[in-house]
Amino acid sequence: MWGGQYAHPPAEIMTEINASIDVDKALYAQDLAGSIAHAQMLAAQGIITRADADAITRGCEQIRREIEDGAFIFTPALEDIHMHVESRLKELIGEAAGRLHTARSRNDQVALDLRLYVRDAMDAADAALHGLQRALARRAEEHAGALMPGFTHLQSAQPVTLGHHLLAYVEMLARDRGRFADAHARLNESPLGAAALAGTSFPIDREATASALGFTQPMANSLDAVSSRDFALEFLSAAAVCATHLSRLAEEFVLWSSSAFGFIRFSDGFSTGSSIMPQKRNPDAAELVRGKTGRMFGNLIALLTVMKGLPLAYNKDMQEDKEPVLDSARTLLLALGAMTGMAEDFSAQTETMEQAAASAYATATDLADWLVRELKMPFREAHHITARIVKLASGQGLGLHALPLEAMQSVEPRITEAVFGVLDARKSAESKTSFGGTAPAQVRAQARAWREKLA
């Protein structure tokens, strides 16, 4: 394709390092869509004949079928998906294939292909996130009243409900979807027609190709169009944040399903065994989601590093943009699918959770609040008195609800029998009626609102 002034072929190692077809063949659908839109525009503008444009379109559609049927032959000698398409097109339709590249460069072509791929990846991620949200919202409504301990520093803090805990992830995933939507809007401008870097002298219609490919408009600067990859960085960044949320939920699934916690149990379909310990039920899917998050971070850092020192416009370094994007797109969908499966699969061990919610003096804050509310005590003083009562109960090996009234009155004489009404874990959770709180009524309302929204 570019060998007019070269007397000898590339060195073997040059062919190996220069070829990207093993990676960018994944962009075949986007490349063919761009080629068809470009050919039809060239014909509409009178730059090539309608017959040539239609032959190109038919040839591209045949190439698509061949690739999807596994009949297409890829070879490193043709470097990338663009050269493969053009070469095969020439075999299919002859001389007309050579007119496809009129007013186009591989620079704007690859920028277009990757934008289209990332746009598709964002749409797929959004659909998968929607599915996980629906699963979590359904389980949250199912377990709106299931008590469990809420944690800070992984220490039992206050009673919450499992439904409340799951809805926290529904909210996180909503923000993930928002990040993808924001990035999608900025991405959705077409680089096609920027050519190598300076635009073209042919009377092309960039608005037509942008519209044909579903973009809102063409990019306004040809240098920017071929050299920018911030759309890919935004995708990788949003994917990395999303993976962080998935990893946190995966970590909790690992903890909750352990024998030490015993809060949830996965079916055989989402458990694996041990080659030596027959009793094991390992949450490997959750562990793998947690582990794959590191790859997602690495992909973002890899492309940031590639782009940070590049002058305008295109540089061959940018060939390294595809592998991290393709890997993160595949990995994110796999992780979302696994987490959705686990969210739908687990069974909650509600008795174990409720016992844990009532332990470790989890209603101590409720006692402090009672002192403030009933005895008009400043909160800092109430906090100090509560801490002394907890210490007293701990020394006797009793929970707060089991500590005799006389023992509490030895610390604060004005405490009455009414205090026991706030020392029960369930009553504690039910009392948190503020908007966004863990009261089961609040959780049910939030879960139903999310289910309606997601429906």
Side-chain angles (χ1 to χ4, degrees):
M1 183 176 66
W2 44 265
Q5 66 167 314
Y6 290 82
H8 302 287
E12 184 177 342
I13 191 65
M14 182 60 187
T15 299
E16 185 175 348
I17 195 172
N18 200 41
S20 61
I21 188 60
D22 284 348
V23 175
D24 64 29
K25 64 185 178 183
L27 306 181
Y28 76 89
Q30 292 78 16
D31 194 73
L32 291 166
S35 291
I36 290 171
H38 185 66
Q40 292 298 317
M41 179 276 295
L42 292 176
Q45 294 299 103
I47 299 171
I48 67 173
T49 67
R50 172 58 58 190
D52 282 347
D54 290 344
I56 289 168
T57 297
R58 288 193 301 272
C60 286
E61 290 170 347
Q62 180 171 336
I63 291 169
R64 186 197 311 274
R65 290 192 295 272
E66 290 176 359
I67 293 174
E68 291 174 353
D69 292 343
F72 194 91
I73 298 173
F74 294 99
T75 171
L78 290 175
E79 289 190 21
D80 55 33
I81 188 61
H82 323 302
M83 291 177 67
H84 276 78
V85 168
E86 188 169 331
S87 176
R88 179 60 177 147
L89 200 56
K90 185 176 181 180
E91 293 173 353
L92 292 172
I93 67 172
E95 185 182 73
R99 296 191 172 91
L100 174 58
H101 214 54
T102 306
R104 186 175 73 166
S105 163
R106 278 197 296 178
N107 293 355
D108 62 341
Q109 192 176 357
V110 70
L112 172 70
D113 291 0
L114 192 60
R115 276 182 186 267
L116 289 171
Y117 182 91
V118 170
R119 190 176 69 183
D120 291 343
M122 287 178 177
D123 290 340
D126 182 74
L129 281 162
H130 177 266
L132 178 53
Q133 282 185 295
R134 290 186 68 176
L136 291 171
R138 182 181 67 79
R139 300 309 304 273
E141 185 174 10
E142 178 186 347
H143 294 296
L147 285 187
M148 66 174 290
F151 298 95
T152 61
H153 310 277
L154 205 55
Q155 304 294 318
S156 184
Q158 292 181 273
V160 297
T161 70
L162 177 57
H164 190 57
H165 201 119
L166 296 176
L167 284 178
Y169 286 99
V170 176
E171 297 285 344
M172 292 182 208
L173 298 177
R175 294 193 295 275
D176 289 326
R177 294 180 69 188
R179 273 180 280 274
F180 283 121
D182 291 343
H184 191 291
R186 279 184 291 276
L187 167 150
N188 208 32
E189 296 181 350
S190 173
L192 187 59
L197 75 163
T200 179
S201 58
F202 288 97
I204 61 172
D205 184 351
R206 295 190 63 208
E207 293 281 356
T209 51
S211 177
L213 293 166
F215 291 107
T216 56
Q217 62 192 37
M219 295 182 73
N221 183 283
S222 59
L223 284 167
D224 179 44
V226 299
S227 62
S228 293
R229 294 295 184 269
D230 53 353
F231 66 92
L233 290 169
E234 284 201 85
F235 169 71
L236 292 175
S237 176
V241 174
C242 180
T244 302
H245 293 152
L246 299 182
S247 184
R248 295 185 73 180
L249 179 56
E251 167 69 3
E252 297 197 304
F253 281 170
V254 170
L255 288 174
W256 294 350
S257 63
S258 69
S259 57
F261 278 72
F263 290 178
I264 63 174
R265 181 180 175 88
F266 291 109
S267 72
D268 291 353
F270 282 90
S271 301
T272 59
S274 164
S275 64
I276 189 173
M277 295 170 285
Q279 82 282 9
K280 295 297 291 298
R281 295 181 64 84
N282 300 323
D284 281 1
E287 293 173 16
L288 286 165
V289 169
R290 189 176 60 185
K292 288 179 185 296
T293 300
R295 280 174 56 186
M296 308 280 275
F297 294 173
N299 287 335
L300 171 60
I301 295 301
L303 187 54
L304 282 168
T305 306
V306 166
M307 297 302 300
K308 72 175 183 63
L310 297 185
L312 301 182
Y314 183 81
N315 298 271
K316 195 68 169 182
D317 314 47
M318 292 162 67
Q319 184 166 290
E320 294 298 311
D321 61 359
K322 297 166 204 61
E323 202 160 1
V325 168
L326 271 59
D327 181 66
S328 282
R330 288 189 297 262
T331 302
L332 182 60
L333 287 182
L334 180 62
L336 284 166
M339 294 306 295
T340 303
M342 286 184 285
E344 293 171 339
D345 178 82
F346 77 82
S347 57
Q349 309 302 295
T350 53
E351 290 186 10
T352 302
M353 288 193 303
E354 185 159 355
Q355 289 173 5
S359 67
Y361 308 102
T363 56
T365 302
D366 297 277
L367 172 56
D369 288 346
W370 186 89
L371 294 171
V372 170
R373 189 169 53 250
E374 300 299 326
L375 303 185
K376 311 304 179 187
M377 190 179 290
F379 182 80
R380 284 302 166 204
E381 182 182 350
H383 184 284
H384 182 72
I385 288 171
T386 299
R388 290 174 60 194
I389 292 173
V390 168
K391 184 177 181 180
L392 185 63
S394 177
Q396 297 182 25
L398 297 173
L400 283 176
H401 64 285
L403 189 67
L405 177 62
E406 294 77 11
M408 295 189 201
Q409 290 173 333
S410 70
V411 177
E412 171 48 65
R414 291 178 293 167
I415 294 176
T416 68
E417 190 80 27
V419 75
F420 289 101
V422 302
L423 299 183
D424 175 76
R426 181 161 297 280
K427 290 180 179 177
S428 170
E430 289 172 349
S431 73
K432 305 303 190 295
T433 56
S434 59
F435 178 77
T438 196
Q442 281 281 337
V443 174
R444 286 190 187 92
Q446 291 282 10
R448 287 169 184 163
W450 268 114
R451 293 192 70 185
E452 290 174 7
K453 183 177 182 180
L454 294 166

